[in-house]
Amino acid sequence: MAHVTAAERRPQLIKAAIDLMTREGVAAGSTRAIASELGVAQATVHYTFGTKEDLYRAVMEQLTHDLVTQVKASAPADAGFEETLTALVAALWRTVREQPASHQLLTELSMFALRTPSLREALEGHYREVTEVTALLVTEAAERTGHRLALPASTIARFFLAGFDGLTMQHLSLPDEEAGLPGLQALVSSVVALAGGKLDLVRIPSV
């Protein structure tokens, strides 16, 4: 049998882990089960990744990369600021509707990482990357269209992602396209207003 290098085995194991945990959940993703999914020895997983947590980290990175790539590819080249944001949001929402299992797995891994000290860095990296990419897309859209941002792009990105994560969880928990659309429209409108300085921020005394 031909020798397979760790570099070649790595993407195979990541895919096997994603396939397995998408079907059966994160709790089922032991190194033994993942090895069985690919048809290799359990030792192969540890040789390639070191620990189960290292493999989980790679899975989170791969899922994030795949989603970000899809959204980036949808960015229009000649639309206005609002139209650009609307197109990006539509593309991201399309991944929620068409690939709910990927978003569910990312959510499960995030909750698991919160209780796993060795994965906290991976979780922080995931949110940092998503926030930075979102902020970059907002910045590029503003620069291309001559739209002056009233707040830092990172603030706008965090606001959008907080709302979008909530809408995603609602969709995964209780899918309702008719009820979900107004919420998505309200989020986009709020982001556009916030970016343009047309959304007044109230003072919260306890903060």
Side-chain angles (χ1 to χ4, degrees), residues 19-146:
D19 290 346
L20 173 67
M21 291 191 287
T22 295
R23 291 197 316 269
E24 302 181 27
V26 173
S30 65
T31 55
R32 184 184 300 276
I34 293 169
S36 178
E37 178 81 9
L38 186 59
V40 298
Q42 185 179 7
T44 300
V45 179
H46 293 289
Y47 173 75
T48 305
F49 286 97
T51 66
K52 180 177 72 175
E53 286 74 21
D54 290 332
L55 174 55
Y56 280 17
R57 183 180 297 107
V59 167
M60 290 182 69
E61 291 172 352
Q62 185 64 54
L63 289 171
T64 302
H65 172 76
D66 291 346
L67 292 173
V68 167
T69 298
Q70 291 180 62
V71 174
K72 277 186 171 181
S74 69
D78 55 357
F81 182 76
E82 181 175 340
E83 291 76 17
T84 298
L85 290 189
T86 301
L88 291 171
V89 169
L92 186 54
W93 189 247
R94 194 156 48 245
T95 69
V96 175
R97 297 176 60 207
E98 297 177 356
Q99 304 166 50
S102 294
H103 287 272
Q104 181 175 336
L105 180 53
L106 259 178
T107 300
E108 287 184 52
L109 283 169
S110 296
M111 295 303 100
F112 179 78
L114 283 174
R115 293 184 177 274
T116 308
S118 59
L119 280 175
R120 284 301 296 268
E121 183 180 346
L123 181 61
E124 291 172 3
H126 160 69
Y127 277 101
R128 189 178 300 112
E129 179 183 0
V130 172
T131 300
E132 288 176 353
V133 169
T134 304
L136 178 61
L137 292 173
V138 170
T139 299
E140 290 177 343
E143 291 177 347
R144 192 186 71 250
T145 60

